[in-house]
Amino acid sequence: MGGRFSALANEKNIVTHPSNPNLGDLPESCIALILSCLEPSEICKLARLNKTFHQSSFADVVWESKLPENHQILVKKLFSDEESSERLSKKEIFSRLCRPIRFSGDTKEVWLEKGRRGICVAISWKGMKITGIDDRRYWTHISTDESRFHTIAYLQQMWWLEVEGNLEFEFPAGNYSLFFRLQIGRTSKRAGWRIVSDLEQVHGWNIKPVKFQLELSNVQHTISNCYLNEAAGKWMHYHVGDFVVENSYIPTKLKFSMAQIDCTHTKAGLCLDSVFIFPSESMKQLKQF
């Protein structure tokens, strides 16, 4: 009887403790929960570990925590009618949102900031109201690969500078900052070199400051003044203001502007690219644009 008991014990021991256990023996649901606690880049690396990890990396529970809480609204707003949140997996939604998506007649672009579930937005100068923009005596439209929209507006000369824009968007809850991307002086490329030209035409920016304004849903209002006297030929991000989003499901309405309307002197030599909106804790991203 003792021998039978010993054999039974050994048999149970073999069943519960495999001689060569490995990570592939973990249930997919368990692996998925582990992956959900990691960053997207780490998930993609572990998905190459073995077949079980690869299959687990597609689970909705893994990517649910990486998406903004209002991602269903964003899918409906930005994706085509065939790409609904019911038809796409959470991983597919995450992947699509991380790639820049154009909207509003290709004048605006939005993408998901990986890791923090914050939304970034870029608004082309073509999506703003600019005094005299269609008059070639004042403004020139220049094609360039230095803009994500592949074109910028160059101010040749003007007495009255005024740029206004607005945006209505369902931002995820959080703190955001808005910037104008500007450059003093015109640049071009010759033989692979970046050349700053027309510097003799740059004037008027050190006499009076440019006024930047930001208004949020008719409640928050920020005003700042800044001289545009940075080094010529260098793209700069001028901080307009910050705003707070508390409800992800209600569209945030923004109005922003820059102006120098002192008619005692002319202004010239300014390149206007776009407006950027980033989560406030992600300021390092400015170096990429």
Side-chain angles (χ1 to χ4, degrees), residues 17-240:
H17 301 283
S19 57
N20 295 308
N22 58 65
L23 291 174
D25 296 320
L26 290 171
E28 288 186 15
S29 58
C30 179
I31 295 176
L33 288 175
I34 295 173
L35 294 178
S36 67
C37 300
L38 304 177
E39 295 296 322
S41 59
E42 297 172 324
I43 296 172
C44 293
K45 290 179 181 178
L46 289 176
R48 299 194 293 266
L49 190 61
N50 57 44
K51 183 178 179 180
T52 307
F53 271 76
H54 178 73
Q55 293 175 339
S56 300
S57 69
F58 288 92
D60 280 351
V61 67
V62 174
W63 300 98
E64 182 79 37
S65 61
K66 315 305 176 191
L67 290 170
E69 60 181 352
N70 65 342
H71 66 270
Q72 292 183 344
I73 293 178
L74 299 179
V75 168
K76 186 176 181 180
K77 185 183 188 76
L78 301 171
F79 293 8
S80 65
D81 295 337
E82 293 76 21
E83 298 174 311
S84 63
S85 56
E86 290 76 19
R87 295 182 181 182
L88 297 175
S89 68
K90 295 297 188 293
K91 183 177 182 180
E92 290 173 321
I93 294 174
F94 178 83
S95 179
R96 283 289 312 278
L97 287 176
C98 286
R99 298 193 296 269
I101 302 172
R102 293 283 177 91
F103 66 105
S104 190
D106 285 345
T107 62
K108 298 179 176 67
E109 199 170 73
V110 61
W111 66 96
L112 176 65
E113 183 203 23
K114 298 178 182 179
R116 293 187 176 87
R117 296 193 294 174
I119 286 291
C120 304
V121 177
I123 304 170
S124 168
W125 62 270
K126 289 186 176 181
M128 306 179 211
K129 180 182 177 182
I130 305 173
T131 302
I133 189 63
D134 295 322
D135 193 327
R136 293 304 178 93
R137 294 175 299 173
Y138 306 129
W139 292 92
T140 300
H141 309 169
I142 303 174
S143 297
T144 176
D145 58 2
E146 293 189 350
S147 169
R148 63 192 303 118
F149 295 99
H150 306 296
T151 180
I152 61 174
Y154 177 71
L155 179 62
Q156 299 186 116
Q157 183 161 290
M158 202 173 196
W159 294 90
W160 185 291
L161 171 68
E162 191 167 26
V163 181
E164 298 177 346
N166 61 79
L167 175 67
E168 184 173 330
F169 198 82
E170 292 83 354
F171 285 92
N175 300 322
Y176 294 85
S177 300
L178 187 145
F179 301 83
F180 268 91
R181 185 173 189 257
L182 309 171
Q183 176 182 272
I184 296 297
R186 182 173 175 174
T187 59
S188 60
K189 285 189 176 181
R190 299 175 188 172
W193 291 88
R194 191 171 184 270
I195 307 298
V196 182
S197 58
D198 296 338
L199 289 182
E200 67 278 0
Q201 296 184 15
V202 177
H203 63 267
W205 306 113
N206 60 345
I207 300 175
K208 292 289 181 67
V210 171
K211 177 186 288 187
F212 294 102
Q213 295 190 72
L214 172 63
E215 186 177 308
L216 171 65
S217 300
N218 300 318
V219 178
Q220 299 183 30
H221 194 192
T222 303
I223 299 177
S224 59
N225 295 283
C226 182
Y227 285 93
L228 306 186
N229 54 0
E230 302 290 344
K234 182 179 180 181
W235 285 106
M236 302 295 298
H237 292 83
Y238 291 89
H239 184 212
V240 179

